[in-house]
Amino acid sequence: MATDSSIFKLSNLDAESQSIGNHQKELELAELVERHQVAVWRYLRALGAEPALADDLTQDTFLEIMRRPLQQYSDSATASY
């Protein structure tokens, strides 16, 4: 039977691994934004959006990816997404 202290240690490990996983997701999102933000903004401008609207829509695009993570298969597939 597990003691209270060993249960506490296991729950701490779970919390730490979740924290590391969340940090990794933040890094992946930051990299995705860095790599594609300019292209998304330029695309919206090419469609005729005013600069301020293109800013807002670009931000909304990446917020939506935060809500529903993108399955990235390759850079070219992500760029065409």
Side-chain angles (χ1 to χ4, degrees), residues 33-43 58 62:
V33 170
E34 185 178 314
R35 292 175 77 185
H36 299 285
Q37 181 178 18
V38 172
V40 169
W41 189 87
R42 286 181 182 162
Y43 177 71
T58 299
F62 291 105

Side-chain angles (χ1 to χ4, degrees), residues 31-32 35-36 39 70-81:
E31 181 181 343
L32 187 71
R35 292 175 77 185
H36 299 285
L70 172 71
Q71 286 287 65
Q72 184 166 346
Y73 299 104
S74 68
D75 285 341
S76 61
T78 301
S80 66
Y81 177 73

Side-chain angles (χ1 to χ4, degrees), residues 4-77:
D4 289 338
S5 64
S6 65
I7 292 171
F8 180 73
K9 288 178 186 175
L10 287 176
S11 66
N12 280 347
L13 289 175
D14 289 343
E16 286 177 22
S17 87
Q18 270 187 330
S19 176
I20 291 169
N22 289 340
H23 182 68
Q24 181 64 30
K25 288 177 186 176
E26 288 174 13
L27 290 176
E28 290 171 1
L29 180 63
E31 181 181 343
L32 187 71
V33 170
E34 185 178 314
R35 292 175 77 185
H36 299 285
Q37 181 178 18
V38 172
V40 169
W41 189 87
R42 286 181 182 162
Y43 177 71
L44 292 166
R45 289 287 290 140
L47 291 175
E50 295 293 325
L53 180 59
D55 289 344
D56 290 343
L57 292 174
T58 299
Q59 182 176 358
D60 288 347
T61 299
F62 291 105
L63 287 174
E64 188 60 30
I65 290 172
M66 283 177 59
R67 289 184 193 111
R68 284 185 307 153
L70 172 71
Q71 286 287 65
Q72 184 166 346
Y73 299 104
S74 68
D75 285 341
S76 61

